[in-house]
Structures are given as C-alpha cells and as structure tokens.
Amino acid sequence: MSEAYRPEELLMSVVAGLLEGARHVAVGAISPIPAGGALLARERAAGRMRVSILGSERHTFFTDGGRELFDCAAQGRIDAFFLDGAQIDGSANINLVGIGSYPRSRVRFAGSFGSAYLYFLVPRVILVAHEHSRRTLVDRVDFVSAPGTSPPGVYRPGGPVALVTDRCVFGFDRAAGRFSLSSAHPGQSVGAIRDKTGFEFTLDDAVATTAVPGAAALALLRGSVREALQEAYPEFAEHVLGQAA
Amino acid sequence: MTSILASAEELTGGVCCGASVAVPREASGCAMEAVRALVRRRVRDLTLIAVPQAGFQADLLIGAGCVRQVEAAAVTLGEHGSAPRFRAAVSAGTVEIRDSTCPAIHAGLQAAEKGVPFMPMRGILGSDLALHRDDWHTIENPYGENDPILLLPAITPDVSLFHAPRADREGNVWVGVNRELLTMAHASRETLVTVEAISDESLTSDVRLAAGTIPSLYVSAIAEAPRGAAPVGLPGYYDEDTSHLRRYAELAQTEEGFDRYLAEQVIAAPAPA
C-alpha cells in the first residue's frame, strides 16, 4: 500500500533523488520545494552533503556577503542549484524578465537574479516549473535570461540536467540541446503531457511512472525536514508538511 | 571626518536630483526612513543601483517618481509578490531598466573598490542580458586560447544608502555579516547610513566587532533612526511588518492606491512608531 502524499511531497521526493551524490547543494530565495527536496537528500546522505539555503540565517555557510555564493559556484564548490522561469523553452533557455518585446515588456517579471551566471557554472542545475502549461513551457522564450546551452569554446562546466514539473520529469541532453521525457507523475499520460507542453521533446526508451515518496521519505519530510524549513519557510512547513495528506 | 547628523532628513539632504544611489537587498538593511525622506523632498531622476536586487524601497521610489533608471538583477517584493510600481513603470517606459545579474553587480562594485576600470566574469555570454548591455564587452582571455570572457565596467555609485544596527561617535558603522555593505561603502563616492543607535563605545577597538565594521574613512555621514528599516525588517533586530507590506502590495496595484499609501504613510506620517 502506498501512503497518501501531497503533490509538493512528490516533487520534493523527485528533487531529492536528483541530488544524490552532491556534496554541496545551494537553494535560491523563495524556493520551498527545492529547499525541502535538498533537506530530504541531506537526511539520506548521512553527513556527506551540505545544503545552503538563501534567505535562511541558520542554513547557510556564507560569511562574505552576497557575492560569496557566486564566487563559490565559479570555483566549482557548488554541485547543484535550482532555477525556474516564467518561460522555459525546448532548448532549456529560461526567461525571468518579461513577456513581449524588451525592454518595455508587456508583462514584466522581477528579473534574472543570478541565473545568467549560475546556469553556466553549477554542474547540476535542476529546473523547476510549478505550472506545466503551454504558457510557461514554450517553443521559444521571449527573453533569454540564461541560455540552456552554449557554443563550443564558451566556458561552461554547468547547465541543466532535468526539468521537474507538476506533471512529469524531463531529462536534458546537453549535446542534443533538448529535453527527453523521463517519467510521468501518477495519473499523467504521455499524450496529456504533450498536449500541455509548448516545445518538442523526445521520449526515453521506457517512460517510467515517477516514483512516489514512500513511508520513510514522508516521515522525514514531515519530521526533520519540516523542522528545518520552519525558519525560512514557516507557512510552507506548516501548511504543506504540517499535516497528513 | 564623518558627519553625525540629527535625522534621516538631514542625512539625505545633499542627495541631488540625477544622482546614482546604491541600495542593498532587503535582508542587509534598508534605510527606509531615509528613503521616505527622499520621497518627501521630491528628489528626481535618480539612477537606482540595486545590490544586487531591491524590493519595497525601489518600488516606493519608482512609484513616487524619484527614479529615471534602475540597474538591478531583480526588483520584487519577495513573498509579498511582484513589485507593482516597478512593473508598471517598466512596461510604460517611464523608467529605464538596465537588467543585470547578481554577481555582475557585485563584481562591478568590486572593480570600483579596487580602482580598476572593469572586472572580467564568467557566464552570461549568449544571454539577452549581454545583448542589451552596450556597456558590457566580450574579449578573448589574454592568458588562454579560444576562451571568450565578459568584461563589466566598474560601478561607482554617487551615494550608497543603507541602514545598520549601530555606529560609534567616530562614524564607524557595524554591519556584521552583511559584508556587501562594506563593498558598497568602498566603491561609492559617498556613503550615508542610518543606524538604530550611536554608542560611545568604539567599534574598532574591539577585534570581535572590528571585523564586521565599516571604518569611518568610508562613511560620509550617519544619523540615528530607530527602527529606520521599518516596515522592512532588520535581521537579528526586528521582523518586517508583514501586514503593512501586504497592504502596500495591494494598494500599489493601482496608481491611485499607491498615491493613497504615499499620502498616509510617507507624506503625512514622517516617522513610523
């Protein structure tokens, strides 16, 4: 019997799986699901993983100002990071700036934050899209905050490895520069995913059903992970992990 | 010598129309009382430099018509949503946005603090940020082969403006772990700081405090402004006023709502309790 879980718990469990073996995972601001997934991965790593959460005073190792995260990434001291996008396209370009022509965007978003840098330098960047629709997953982004791939010769140890959405998990093939469907969440068909995706993608040889969090994962998420998230994400910790699904 | 002034009003009295003003991210200490003073004085045409992102203070200054240009990696009210006056002004073209990315702003300030004209930096190549920034240049790494790298010009703000927990009578300012405030002070022509309290105890004579202290050498003027970051919080000292910021986020959705907020909270109420 599988236990009842919340959609956010499924995503945190997927994220944790993608972080296996990482020694230092950094999580940007306003990212409760990546933070929860990273803390779950840390629980399983038995002391071999550091997690830095921006916006947290407790879960951070940085003491040298705002630049330290970026300097740290440029030196290869950060193995995994998360990015999202108001738009993400089939080449893994992300747009955090605006819809319509630049600079007078018809719809303006906050801005690119550190994406244009960290996407190049962190080996394992996991893209997270909370709304899997043709509005967000598009053929071509209106503005490239950070490109998914770079031409040969451009220094780029980093880049996307996966795109996690509320419907499925895509892997990203850097050489081919495109996404491939790795697994569909329970209840999602390949046809339905295609219908909701604005870009072309290939299929893995065997598209799996995304593994759901088991009893042990749920116990950790609702226990030690929830406690660790309390400080930076009190509402999320309380409302998503604070009660049984 | 650092001037010790009586109020945020006096502190910001010399900030001219057209000045470039650097402000820190919210977690590092926002000089909100000083920002309100700028709004009341109807300062115009500021170039606002967000280090590296800005929130409530930027939205307030933009909505009040004080800003001509913004350089930022992001402008957002964070968990209270997007910055409504910023978004509206950029879409309407009334404010010029120079989109950047966090490490580029830090690096530009570091170039200025070293007195060098530019800083090379990894990443960014091939993004639309680089496409639209005519002041950024790509060169070949002179120490390597087939290795293009981006150069960013030094960022030298006319003024850095922030709020800190404490200062002493000599004008040394303690900022603790928020070390980007040191970089801002090093890089700027003038540094203006409001503080919770000015104490008689010297900050530089105690090594435990000196490590987190900006020497008065870099500080043009300070003024006491208790709860000077409110309604934004000062981490370690007081929390943000969440209901105030939520109400702002709602009111600022429209120009009329924003004007009402301005009249009630900024013009009519010079100092928050």
Side-chain angles (χ1 to χ4, degrees), chain B residues 38-100:
Chain B
L38 289 173
V39 170
R40 283 192 288 269
R41 196 156 60 77
R42 298 178 169 276
V43 171
R44 290 290 178 267
D45 293 326
L46 297 179
T47 291
L48 198 62
I49 301 164
V51 184
Q53 65 194 65
F56 180 59
Q57 58 184 340
D59 209 55
L60 194 62
L61 285 166
I62 291 167
C66 303
V67 179
R68 183 179 61 81
Q69 185 188 82
V70 182
E71 173 157 13
V75 180
T76 171
L77 301 184
E79 62 179 330
H80 304 301
S82 56
R85 291 298 92 205
F86 162 74
R87 294 182 69 178
V90 170
S91 292
T94 51
V95 159
E96 186 192 338
I97 174 75
R98 289 164 74 77
D99 271 287
S100 188

Short mmCIF file of all heavy atoms in Angstrom, two decimals, chain B residues 38-100:
data_model
loop_
_atom_site.label_atom_id
_atom_site.label_comp_id
_atom_site.label_asym_id
_atom_site.label_seq_id
_atom_site.Cartn_x
_atom_site.Cartn_y
_atom_site.Cartn_z
N LEU B 38 13.70 61.06 1.08
CA LEU B 38 13.95 61.40 -0.33
C LEU B 38 12.64 61.63 -1.07
O LEU B 38 12.53 62.54 -1.89
CB LEU B 38 14.74 60.28 -1.02
CG LEU B 38 16.21 60.10 -0.62
CD1 LEU B 38 16.78 58.84 -1.27
CD2 LEU B 38 17.03 61.32 -1.02
N VAL B 39 11.66 60.79 -0.79
CA VAL B 39 10.35 60.92 -1.44
C VAL B 39 9.72 62.25 -1.05
O VAL B 39 9.21 62.99 -1.90
CB VAL B 39 9.43 59.74 -1.07
CG1 VAL B 39 8.00 60.00 -1.54
CG2 VAL B 39 9.96 58.44 -1.67
N ARG B 40 9.78 62.58 0.25
CA ARG B 40 9.17 63.84 0.72
C ARG B 40 9.84 65.06 0.10
O ARG B 40 9.21 66.06 -0.16
CB ARG B 40 9.23 63.91 2.25
CG ARG B 40 8.19 63.05 2.95
CD ARG B 40 8.10 63.38 4.44
NE ARG B 40 9.26 62.93 5.19
CZ ARG B 40 9.35 61.73 5.77
NH1 ARG B 40 8.34 60.88 5.70
NH2 ARG B 40 10.42 61.38 6.43
N ARG B 41 11.13 64.94 -0.14
CA ARG B 41 11.86 66.07 -0.71
C ARG B 41 11.70 66.14 -2.23
O ARG B 41 12.22 67.04 -2.88
CB ARG B 41 13.35 65.96 -0.35
CG ARG B 41 14.14 67.24 -0.55
CD ARG B 41 15.37 67.29 0.31
NE ARG B 41 16.31 66.21 0.04
CZ ARG B 41 17.12 66.15 -1.00
NH1 ARG B 41 17.12 67.10 -1.91
NH2 ARG B 41 17.94 65.12 -1.17
N ARG B 42 10.97 65.15 -2.80
CA ARG B 42 10.69 65.13 -4.24
C ARG B 42 11.96 65.13 -5.07
O ARG B 42 12.09 65.86 -6.06
CB ARG B 42 9.80 66.32 -4.65
CG ARG B 42 8.44 66.29 -3.99
CD ARG B 42 7.62 67.51 -4.38
NE ARG B 42 6.25 67.34 -3.94
CZ ARG B 42 5.32 66.66 -4.62
NH1 ARG B 42 5.62 66.08 -5.76
NH2 ARG B 42 4.09 66.54 -4.15
N VAL B 43 12.90 64.30 -4.65
CA VAL B 43 14.12 64.12 -5.45
C VAL B 43 13.73 63.46 -6.77
O VAL B 43 12.84 62.62 -6.81
CB VAL B 43 15.13 63.24 -4.67
CG1 VAL B 43 16.30 62.83 -5.54
CG2 VAL B 43 15.62 63.99 -3.44
N ARG B 44 14.36 63.83 -7.85
CA ARG B 44 14.01 63.32 -9.17
C ARG B 44 15.22 62.74 -9.91
O ARG B 44 16.36 63.05 -9.57
CB ARG B 44 13.40 64.43 -10.04
CG ARG B 44 12.00 64.88 -9.57
CD ARG B 44 10.98 63.78 -9.82
NE ARG B 44 9.63 64.11 -9.35
CZ ARG B 44 9.13 63.79 -8.15
NH1 ARG B 44 9.89 63.17 -7.27
NH2 ARG B 44 7.91 64.10 -7.84
N ASP B 45 14.93 61.92 -10.91
CA ASP B 45 15.94 61.43 -11.87
C ASP B 45 17.07 60.61 -11.27
O ASP B 45 18.19 60.61 -11.79
CB ASP B 45 16.55 62.60 -12.67
CG ASP B 45 15.54 63.25 -13.58
OD1 ASP B 45 14.67 62.51 -14.10
OD2 ASP B 45 15.60 64.48 -13.77
N LEU B 46 16.79 59.91 -10.17
CA LEU B 46 17.83 59.07 -9.58
C LEU B 46 18.11 57.88 -10.49
O LEU B 46 17.21 57.37 -11.17
CB LEU B 46 17.39 58.54 -8.21
CG LEU B 46 17.15 59.56 -7.11
CD1 LEU B 46 16.70 58.85 -5.83
CD2 LEU B 46 18.39 60.42 -6.84
N THR B 47 19.37 57.46 -10.49
CA THR B 47 19.71 56.14 -11.01
C THR B 47 19.83 55.24 -9.79
O THR B 47 20.68 55.47 -8.93
CB THR B 47 21.04 56.17 -11.79
OG1 THR B 47 20.84 56.91 -12.99
CG2 THR B 47 21.50 54.77 -12.14
N LEU B 48 18.96 54.24 -9.73
CA LEU B 48 18.94 53.36 -8.57
C LEU B 48 19.73 52.11 -8.91
O LEU B 48 19.44 51.45 -9.91
CB LEU B 48 17.49 53.02 -8.25
CG LEU B 48 17.19 52.47 -6.86
CD1 LEU B 48 17.53 53.50 -5.79
CD2 LEU B 48 15.70 52.09 -6.77
N ILE B 49 20.72 51.79 -8.09
CA ILE B 49 21.52 50.58 -8.29
C ILE B 49 21.18 49.60 -7.18
O ILE B 49 21.47 49.86 -6.00
CB ILE B 49 23.03 50.91 -8.28
CG1 ILE B 49 23.36 51.93 -9.38
CG2 ILE B 49 23.87 49.65 -8.46
CD1 ILE B 49 24.71 52.61 -9.21
N ALA B 50 20.55 48.49 -7.54
CA ALA B 50 20.16 47.50 -6.54
C ALA B 50 21.31 46.54 -6.33
O ALA B 50 21.89 46.04 -7.29
CB ALA B 50 18.93 46.75 -7.02
N VAL B 51 21.68 46.30 -5.08
CA VAL B 51 22.84 45.44 -4.78
C VAL B 51 22.35 44.18 -4.07
O VAL B 51 22.26 44.15 -2.86
CB VAL B 51 23.87 46.19 -3.92
CG1 VAL B 51 25.10 45.33 -3.69
CG2 VAL B 51 24.26 47.52 -4.57
N PRO B 52 22.12 43.11 -4.85
CA PRO B 52 22.01 43.12 -6.31
C PRO B 52 20.54 43.18 -6.74
O PRO B 52 20.25 43.26 -7.90
CB PRO B 52 22.62 41.77 -6.70
CG PRO B 52 22.22 40.85 -5.58
CD PRO B 52 22.12 41.71 -4.34
N GLN B 53 19.65 43.14 -5.77
CA GLN B 53 18.22 43.20 -6.06
C GLN B 53 17.58 44.15 -5.05
O GLN B 53 18.19 44.47 -4.04
CB GLN B 53 17.58 41.83 -5.94
CG GLN B 53 17.61 41.29 -4.51
CD GLN B 53 17.28 39.81 -4.46
OE1 GLN B 53 18.02 38.98 -4.97
NE2 GLN B 53 16.18 39.49 -3.83
N ALA B 54 16.39 44.61 -5.37
CA ALA B 54 15.72 45.52 -4.44
C ALA B 54 14.24 45.19 -4.39
O ALA B 54 13.71 44.51 -5.27
CB ALA B 54 15.93 46.97 -4.88
N GLY B 55 13.60 45.69 -3.35
CA GLY B 55 12.20 45.39 -3.16
C GLY B 55 11.39 46.62 -2.86
O GLY B 55 11.24 47.52 -3.71
N PHE B 56 10.90 46.69 -1.63
CA PHE B 56 9.97 47.74 -1.24
C PHE B 56 10.54 49.14 -1.47
O PHE B 56 9.85 50.01 -2.00
CB PHE B 56 9.62 47.52 0.24
CG PHE B 56 8.68 48.52 0.81
CD1 PHE B 56 7.42 48.71 0.27
CD2 PHE B 56 9.05 49.27 1.91
CE1 PHE B 56 6.55 49.64 0.81
CE2 PHE B 56 8.18 50.20 2.46
CZ PHE B 56 6.94 50.38 1.92
N GLN B 57 11.81 49.35 -1.09
CA GLN B 57 12.36 50.71 -1.23
C GLN B 57 12.42 51.14 -2.69
O GLN B 57 12.15 52.31 -3.02
CB GLN B 57 13.73 50.82 -0.56
CG GLN B 57 14.78 49.86 -1.09
CD GLN B 57 16.10 49.96 -0.34
OE1 GLN B 57 16.39 50.95 0.32
NE2 GLN B 57 16.89 48.92 -0.41
N ALA B 58 12.73 50.20 -3.59
CA ALA B 58 12.79 50.54 -5.00
C ALA B 58 11.39 50.83 -5.54
O ALA B 58 11.19 51.80 -6.28
CB ALA B 58 13.42 49.39 -5.79
N ASP B 59 10.43 50.01 -5.16
CA ASP B 59 9.06 50.20 -5.66
C ASP B 59 8.50 51.54 -5.19
O ASP B 59 7.84 52.26 -5.94
CB ASP B 59 8.17 49.05 -5.19
CG ASP B 59 7.03 48.80 -6.18
OD1 ASP B 59 7.30 48.59 -7.37
OD2 ASP B 59 5.85 48.84 -5.74
N LEU B 60 8.82 51.90 -3.94
CA LEU B 60 8.35 53.17 -3.38
C LEU B 60 8.97 54.35 -4.13
O LEU B 60 8.26 55.29 -4.53
CB LEU B 60 8.74 53.20 -1.90
CG LEU B 60 8.09 54.26 -1.02
CD1 LEU B 60 6.58 54.06 -0.97
CD2 LEU B 60 8.66 54.18 0.40
N LEU B 61 10.27 54.31 -4.33
CA LEU B 61 10.95 55.42 -5.03
C LEU B 61 10.48 55.54 -6.48
O LEU B 61 10.28 56.64 -6.99
CB LEU B 61 12.47 55.20 -4.99
CG LEU B 61 13.15 55.50 -3.65
CD1 LEU B 61 14.58 54.93 -3.64
CD2 LEU B 61 13.18 57.00 -3.36
N ILE B 62 10.27 54.39 -7.12
CA ILE B 62 9.82 54.41 -8.52
C ILE B 62 8.40 54.95 -8.59
O ILE B 62 8.09 55.84 -9.40
CB ILE B 62 9.91 52.99 -9.14
CG1 ILE B 62 11.38 52.58 -9.31
CG2 ILE B 62 9.17 52.94 -10.48
CD1 ILE B 62 11.59 51.11 -9.59
N GLY B 63 7.52 54.45 -7.72
CA GLY B 63 6.13 54.90 -7.73
C GLY B 63 6.01 56.39 -7.46
O GLY B 63 5.15 57.08 -8.02
N ALA B 64 6.91 56.91 -6.61
CA ALA B 64 6.86 58.33 -6.25
C ALA B 64 7.51 59.21 -7.31
O ALA B 64 7.59 60.43 -7.14
CB ALA B 64 7.54 58.54 -4.89
N GLY B 65 8.01 58.61 -8.37
CA GLY B 65 8.55 59.41 -9.48
C GLY B 65 9.97 59.90 -9.24
O GLY B 65 10.41 60.85 -9.89
N CYS B 66 10.69 59.28 -8.32
CA CYS B 66 12.05 59.75 -8.00
C CYS B 66 13.12 59.16 -8.92
O CYS B 66 14.27 59.60 -8.87
CB CYS B 66 12.41 59.36 -6.56
SG CYS B 66 11.27 59.99 -5.33
N VAL B 67 12.76 58.13 -9.71
CA VAL B 67 13.77 57.32 -10.38
C VAL B 67 13.66 57.45 -11.90
O VAL B 67 12.57 57.39 -12.46
CB VAL B 67 13.63 55.84 -9.97
CG1 VAL B 67 14.66 54.98 -10.70
CG2 VAL B 67 13.77 55.69 -8.46
N ARG B 68 14.80 57.61 -12.55
CA ARG B 68 14.84 57.64 -14.01
C ARG B 68 15.32 56.29 -14.56
O ARG B 68 14.88 55.83 -15.59
CB ARG B 68 15.80 58.74 -14.48
CG ARG B 68 15.88 58.93 -15.99
CD ARG B 68 16.83 60.07 -16.36
NE ARG B 68 18.18 59.82 -15.89
CZ ARG B 68 19.06 59.05 -16.53
NH1 ARG B 68 18.74 58.46 -17.65
NH2 ARG B 68 20.28 58.88 -16.04
N GLN B 69 16.28 55.68 -13.85
CA GLN B 69 16.88 54.45 -14.35
C GLN B 69 17.14 53.49 -13.18
O GLN B 69 17.52 53.93 -12.10
CB GLN B 69 18.21 54.78 -15.05
CG GLN B 69 18.86 53.60 -15.72
CD GLN B 69 20.27 53.94 -16.23
OE1 GLN B 69 21.24 53.93 -15.48
NE2 GLN B 69 20.35 54.25 -17.51
N VAL B 70 16.94 52.20 -13.44
CA VAL B 70 17.23 51.18 -12.42
C VAL B 70 18.21 50.18 -13.00
O VAL B 70 17.99 49.67 -14.10
CB VAL B 70 15.95 50.40 -12.02
CG1 VAL B 70 16.27 49.38 -10.92
CG2 VAL B 70 14.85 51.32 -11.57
N GLU B 71 19.28 49.91 -12.27
CA GLU B 71 20.14 48.78 -12.62
C GLU B 71 19.95 47.74 -11.53
O GLU B 71 20.17 48.02 -10.35
CB GLU B 71 21.61 49.20 -12.70
CG GLU B 71 22.52 47.99 -12.89
CD GLU B 71 23.87 48.29 -13.51
OE1 GLU B 71 24.22 49.47 -13.60
OE2 GLU B 71 24.56 47.33 -13.89
N ALA B 72 19.52 46.54 -11.92
CA ALA B 72 19.19 45.52 -10.92
C ALA B 72 19.23 44.14 -11.52
O ALA B 72 19.01 43.96 -12.72
CB ALA B 72 17.78 45.78 -10.37
N ALA B 73 19.50 43.16 -10.65
CA ALA B 73 19.34 41.76 -11.05
C ALA B 73 17.88 41.35 -10.92
O ALA B 73 17.43 40.43 -11.59
CB ALA B 73 20.22 40.87 -10.19
N ALA B 74 17.16 42.05 -10.03
CA ALA B 74 15.73 41.78 -9.86
C ALA B 74 15.12 42.86 -8.98
O ALA B 74 15.81 43.45 -8.13
CB ALA B 74 15.50 40.41 -9.23
N VAL B 75 13.85 43.16 -9.23
CA VAL B 75 13.08 44.02 -8.33
C VAL B 75 11.81 43.27 -7.99
O VAL B 75 11.03 42.92 -8.88
CB VAL B 75 12.74 45.38 -8.97
CG1 VAL B 75 11.94 46.24 -8.00
CG2 VAL B 75 14.01 46.11 -9.39
N THR B 76 11.62 42.96 -6.72
CA THR B 76 10.49 42.13 -6.31
C THR B 76 10.16 42.38 -4.85
O THR B 76 11.05 42.74 -4.07
CB THR B 76 10.82 40.63 -6.52
OG1 THR B 76 9.78 39.84 -5.92
CG2 THR B 76 12.15 40.24 -5.91
N LEU B 77 8.89 42.21 -4.50
CA LEU B 77 8.52 42.29 -3.09
C LEU B 77 8.64 40.93 -2.41
O LEU B 77 8.11 40.71 -1.33
CB LEU B 77 7.10 42.84 -2.93
CG LEU B 77 6.83 44.24 -3.51
CD1 LEU B 77 5.41 44.69 -3.19
CD2 LEU B 77 7.82 45.27 -2.98
N GLY B 78 9.31 39.99 -3.07
CA GLY B 78 9.57 38.68 -2.47
C GLY B 78 8.28 37.93 -2.22
O GLY B 78 7.47 37.78 -3.12
N GLU B 79 8.08 37.49 -0.99
CA GLU B 79 6.89 36.67 -0.72
C GLU B 79 5.61 37.50 -0.76
O GLU B 79 4.52 36.94 -0.76
CB GLU B 79 7.03 35.92 0.60
CG GLU B 79 7.15 36.82 1.79
CD GLU B 79 7.27 36.03 3.09
OE1 GLU B 79 6.73 34.92 3.17
OE2 GLU B 79 7.91 36.55 4.02
N HIS B 80 5.73 38.83 -0.83
CA HIS B 80 4.52 39.64 -0.98
C HIS B 80 4.18 39.89 -2.45
O HIS B 80 3.30 40.68 -2.76
CB HIS B 80 4.68 40.97 -0.23
CG HIS B 80 5.02 40.77 1.21
ND1 HIS B 80 4.21 40.06 2.06
CD2 HIS B 80 6.11 41.13 1.92
CE1 HIS B 80 4.79 40.01 3.25
NE2 HIS B 80 5.94 40.65 3.19
N GLY B 81 4.90 39.25 -3.32
CA GLY B 81 4.56 39.32 -4.75
C GLY B 81 5.48 40.22 -5.54
O GLY B 81 6.54 40.65 -5.07
N SER B 82 5.05 40.51 -6.75
CA SER B 82 5.88 41.32 -7.64
C SER B 82 5.80 42.78 -7.20
O SER B 82 4.91 43.18 -6.46
CB SER B 82 5.41 41.15 -9.07
OG SER B 82 4.06 41.48 -9.16
N ALA B 83 6.76 43.56 -7.68
CA ALA B 83 6.83 44.99 -7.32
C ALA B 83 5.95 45.76 -8.31
O ALA B 83 6.36 46.01 -9.44
CB ALA B 83 8.28 45.46 -7.39
N PRO B 84 4.74 46.17 -7.89
CA PRO B 84 3.76 46.66 -8.87
C PRO B 84 4.14 47.97 -9.56
O PRO B 84 3.93 48.12 -10.76
CB PRO B 84 2.47 46.83 -8.05
CG PRO B 84 2.85 46.68 -6.63
CD PRO B 84 4.18 46.03 -6.55
N ARG B 85 4.72 48.91 -8.84
CA ARG B 85 5.07 50.20 -9.46
C ARG B 85 6.25 50.05 -10.41
O ARG B 85 6.35 50.72 -11.43
CB ARG B 85 5.35 51.26 -8.39
CG ARG B 85 4.14 51.71 -7.58
CD ARG B 85 3.07 52.36 -8.44
NE ARG B 85 2.08 51.41 -8.91
CZ ARG B 85 1.33 51.56 -10.01
NH1 ARG B 85 1.46 52.61 -10.77
NH2 ARG B 85 0.47 50.65 -10.36
N PHE B 86 7.18 49.17 -10.05
CA PHE B 86 8.31 48.85 -10.93
C PHE B 86 7.80 48.25 -12.24
O PHE B 86 8.18 48.69 -13.33
CB PHE B 86 9.26 47.88 -10.22
CG PHE B 86 10.21 47.15 -11.13
CD1 PHE B 86 11.30 47.82 -11.70
CD2 PHE B 86 10.03 45.80 -11.44
CE1 PHE B 86 12.17 47.15 -12.55
CE2 PHE B 86 10.90 45.14 -12.29
CZ PHE B 86 11.97 45.80 -12.85
N ARG B 87 6.93 47.27 -12.12
CA ARG B 87 6.43 46.59 -13.33
C ARG B 87 5.70 47.58 -14.24
O ARG B 87 5.89 47.58 -15.45
CB ARG B 87 5.47 45.47 -12.94
CG ARG B 87 6.13 44.35 -12.19
CD ARG B 87 5.13 43.25 -11.88
NE ARG B 87 4.71 42.54 -13.08
CZ ARG B 87 3.88 41.51 -13.07
NH1 ARG B 87 3.36 41.08 -11.93
NH2 ARG B 87 3.54 40.91 -14.19
N ALA B 88 4.85 48.39 -13.61
CA ALA B 88 4.06 49.34 -14.40
C ALA B 88 4.98 50.35 -15.09
O ALA B 88 4.80 50.68 -16.27
CB ALA B 88 3.05 50.05 -13.51
N ALA B 89 5.98 50.83 -14.36
CA ALA B 89 6.88 51.87 -14.91
C ALA B 89 7.72 51.32 -16.05
O ALA B 89 7.96 52.01 -17.04
CB ALA B 89 7.76 52.43 -13.79
N VAL B 90 8.17 50.08 -15.93
CA VAL B 90 8.99 49.49 -16.99
C VAL B 90 8.13 49.26 -18.24
O VAL B 90 8.53 49.58 -19.36
CB VAL B 90 9.65 48.18 -16.52
CG1 VAL B 90 10.29 47.45 -17.69
CG2 VAL B 90 10.70 48.47 -15.46
N SER B 91 6.91 48.74 -18.03
CA SER B 91 6.03 48.49 -19.18
C SER B 91 5.64 49.80 -19.87
O SER B 91 5.52 49.86 -21.09
CB SER B 91 4.77 47.74 -18.74
OG SER B 91 5.11 46.43 -18.35
N ALA B 92 5.47 50.87 -19.07
CA ALA B 92 5.08 52.17 -19.64
C ALA B 92 6.28 52.91 -20.22
O ALA B 92 6.13 53.90 -20.92
CB ALA B 92 4.40 53.02 -18.56
N GLY B 93 7.48 52.45 -19.89
CA GLY B 93 8.68 53.12 -20.39
C GLY B 93 9.04 54.38 -19.62
O GLY B 93 9.87 55.16 -20.08
N THR B 94 8.43 54.59 -18.46
CA THR B 94 8.73 55.81 -17.69
C THR B 94 10.01 55.64 -16.87
O THR B 94 10.59 56.62 -16.40
CB THR B 94 7.57 56.20 -16.76
OG1 THR B 94 7.19 55.05 -16.00
CG2 THR B 94 6.37 56.67 -17.56
N VAL B 95 10.43 54.39 -16.66
CA VAL B 95 11.71 54.13 -16.00
C VAL B 95 12.52 53.24 -16.92
O VAL B 95 12.00 52.30 -17.51
CB VAL B 95 11.49 53.44 -14.63
CG1 VAL B 95 12.74 52.72 -14.17
CG2 VAL B 95 11.07 54.45 -13.59
N GLU B 96 13.79 53.57 -17.05
CA GLU B 96 14.67 52.76 -17.89
C GLU B 96 15.27 51.64 -17.03
O GLU B 96 15.82 51.91 -15.97
CB GLU B 96 15.79 53.65 -18.45
CG GLU B 96 16.68 52.95 -19.44
CD GLU B 96 17.94 53.75 -19.77
OE1 GLU B 96 17.93 54.99 -19.57
OE2 GLU B 96 18.92 53.15 -20.19
N ILE B 97 15.15 50.39 -17.51
CA ILE B 97 15.71 49.29 -16.74
C ILE B 97 16.98 48.81 -17.42
O ILE B 97 17.04 48.63 -18.63
CB ILE B 97 14.70 48.12 -16.61
CG1 ILE B 97 15.33 46.89 -15.93
CG2 ILE B 97 14.12 47.70 -17.96
CD1 ILE B 97 15.53 47.01 -14.47
N ARG B 98 18.02 48.68 -16.62
CA ARG B 98 19.26 48.05 -17.10
C ARG B 98 19.37 46.72 -16.38
O ARG B 98 19.83 46.65 -15.23
CB ARG B 98 20.46 48.95 -16.82
CG ARG B 98 20.44 50.18 -17.72
CD ARG B 98 21.36 51.25 -17.23
NE ARG B 98 22.77 50.94 -17.45
CZ ARG B 98 23.37 51.06 -18.64
NH1 ARG B 98 22.69 51.43 -19.69
NH2 ARG B 98 24.64 50.81 -18.76
N ASP B 99 18.86 45.68 -17.08
CA ASP B 99 18.85 44.35 -16.46
C ASP B 99 20.25 43.82 -16.29
O ASP B 99 21.06 43.86 -17.21
CB ASP B 99 18.02 43.39 -17.33
CG ASP B 99 16.56 43.42 -16.96
OD1 ASP B 99 16.24 42.86 -15.88
OD2 ASP B 99 15.74 44.01 -17.70
N SER B 100 20.52 43.29 -15.10
CA SER B 100 21.82 42.72 -14.79
C SER B 100 21.62 41.36 -14.14
O SER B 100 20.51 40.80 -14.17
CB SER B 100 22.59 43.66 -13.87
OG SER B 100 23.92 43.23 -13.72
#
